[in-house]
Amino acid sequence: MQTTTIVAPSSRIALERVAEMFGPDAVVYETRTTRHGVEVVAGGIERRPTPSALHRVPEMAPSPVSAPAPQPKGKDPMVRFIAQSRAVGIDPEFLTGEMAAAGADLADAWSRFLIRVEREVKIAPPPHTDLAHVCVVGDSGSAKTTTLAQLAAMARAARPGERITLLSGDRRPGAREQLRVIAAILKIPVADPARGESLAEAARRLSRKERLFIDMPSDPRLAACEVEELRSILERAGTLSVLCTMPLSGQLARHRQIAEMFSQGFDAYVLTHAGETLPPGAVLTMLLSSGVPLAGIGRSADFGSGYDAARATGLCRMVAAALSTGATATLQ
């Protein structure tokens, strides 16, 4: 078996060259993006012309060969596949391995990608099943407080006798009032830091008798500092589970950039606004490339049933639904 390295402007061109060189039995060992383009390392048995073909002498002048008729726009399966992946938010370069393994069967490429999602997306256990304190960080408008309330409600339902308190750390106008309204609905007490007391000091005072669900500031830099102090102070009073909300309601690049400001300050993502219109493929790409676990999916603002524990199969269904509806409609 012969191996070779092919560099091309795009993964499609590179794979076409691999197919021309090795045929349908080609094996792709590695793909990567370089400053020169897409680099593919592939192997197989190189196609060579037969000896009879090399020595055959034509008996007559070859007739002019007409150029193949161009396919109608949108009929090329590879073009449709690339357009479909972009329509659901997945960079086609991210599917190079699946495309090479599936060959001409592009439906099989999607199946292979969904299997990859189920195998490689990390899933974090639900934080309400242990005795950890919980805090939620995230951008303004990312359902941060709603997610915290859902987790507190789930903890209360799982252990009715457990002492739970909502701790307000978000100093924005109206944020504490919102938390008080939610606390009244859930019948869970809410606490604020005392005058001159930091959030970490308040957490240390309350954590001796209560399990805390902490509503964090929306400013990512401030929240990152607060999380670091909370981890240090709560080290002896139990573990601290830090979740970061990632809304699926557009502007994913902005929300991801803000999430990255927390650096390693959070333990897992929670996808919120899951009923909105952003194709989930971009989120799958983010989860696969970042390696950050997924803890849950917030589908609605309902405190009792709006939060689902994360399952990779649920993410696959979201992509499949986008492929069968939005992407198909885009390509008509």
Side-chain angles (χ1 to χ4, degrees):
M1 178 176 288
Q2 180 182 356
T3 61
T4 187
T5 300
I6 295 174
V7 179
S10 67
S11 59
R12 179 190 175 188
I13 296 175
L15 294 175
E16 287 177 349
R17 293 178 183 174
V18 170
E20 290 174 359
M21 182 173 293
F22 298 116
D25 298 324
V27 177
V28 175
Y29 297 106
E30 181 183 5
T31 61
R32 63 174 182 166
T33 303
T34 68
R35 63 179 182 175
H36 303 294
V38 178
E39 184 177 289
V40 177
V41 179
I45 301 176
E46 185 175 4
R47 288 180 168 181
R48 298 181 182 275
T50 61
S52 59
L54 289 172
H55 296 92
R56 184 170 59 242
V57 179
E59 296 180 358
M60 62 183 67
S63 58
V65 178
S66 59
Q71 291 185 323
K73 185 177 180 181
K75 297 298 184 180
D76 185 345
M78 183 62 72
V79 172
R80 287 181 60 84
F81 180 84
I82 292 174
Q84 194 175 34
S85 64
R86 286 175 176 159
V88 296
I90 300 176
D91 187 346
E93 301 290 344
F94 206 71
L95 300 169
T96 303
E98 286 79 7
M99 293 163 64
D105 188 355
L106 299 180
D108 184 50
W110 283 122
S111 299
R112 290 175 181 270
F113 178 65
L114 296 184
I115 292 172
R116 178 182 171 192
V117 169
E118 290 196 65
R119 184 179 65 247
E120 296 184 12
V121 169
K122 297 179 181 179
I123 303 297
H128 65 279
T129 59
D130 54 33
L131 295 177
H133 304 291
V134 178
C135 69
V136 179
V137 298
D139 193 13
S140 177
S142 65
K144 171 175 62 70
T145 304
T146 299
T147 299
L148 184 77
Q150 290 170 333
L151 293 170
M154 293 168 70
R156 169 59 58 86
R159 296 185 177 89
E162 185 178 20
R163 297 183 63 174
I164 293 175
T165 295
L166 297 173
L167 177 57
S168 175
D170 194 343
R171 301 175 181 85
R172 290 177 303 158
R176 292 186 175 181
E177 288 73 13
Q178 179 191 11
L179 192 63
R180 292 184 188 281
V181 171
I182 291 174
I185 295 173
L186 299 179
K187 296 180 172 57
I188 294 176
V190 61
D192 298 324
R195 183 182 296 274
E197 186 181 41
S198 70
L199 179 63
E201 291 169 343
R204 177 170 54 186
R205 170 172 54 85
L206 295 168
S207 63
R208 297 167 185 167
K209 297 181 179 179
E210 309 281 343
R211 183 182 178 193
L212 301 178
F213 286 77
I214 308 170
D215 189 26
M216 299 298 292
S218 295
D219 184 327
R221 296 179 180 85
L222 178 58
C225 295
E226 298 275 21
V227 165
E228 187 176 348
E229 292 183 14
L230 285 169
R231 286 194 188 279
S232 175
I233 283 182
L234 295 178
E235 201 171 47
R236 298 179 182 179
T239 58
L240 177 66
S241 180
V242 184
L243 305 179
C244 180
T245 50
M246 179 65 63
L248 305 186
S249 56
Q251 298 184 338
L252 177 66
R254 163 189 158 81
H255 293 304
R256 182 179 181 181
Q257 183 180 15
I258 290 177
E260 289 173 349
M261 289 183 178
F262 295 107
S263 184
Q264 300 301 317
F266 64 93
D267 303 310
Y269 283 118
V270 174
L271 304 182
T272 60
H273 299 170
E276 299 289 347
T277 57
L278 179 77
V283 178
L284 290 178
T285 303
M286 178 193 73
L287 293 172
L288 288 170
S289 59
S290 69
V292 177
L294 177 66
I297 301 175
R299 300 193 178 277
S300 72
D302 186 276
F303 297 140
S305 60
Y307 181 96
D308 293 338
R311 296 177 181 85
T313 51
L315 292 173
C316 292
R317 292 191 190 101
M318 291 170 69
V319 173
L323 285 171
S324 62
T325 56
T328 304
T330 302
L331 297 177
Q332 295 299 328

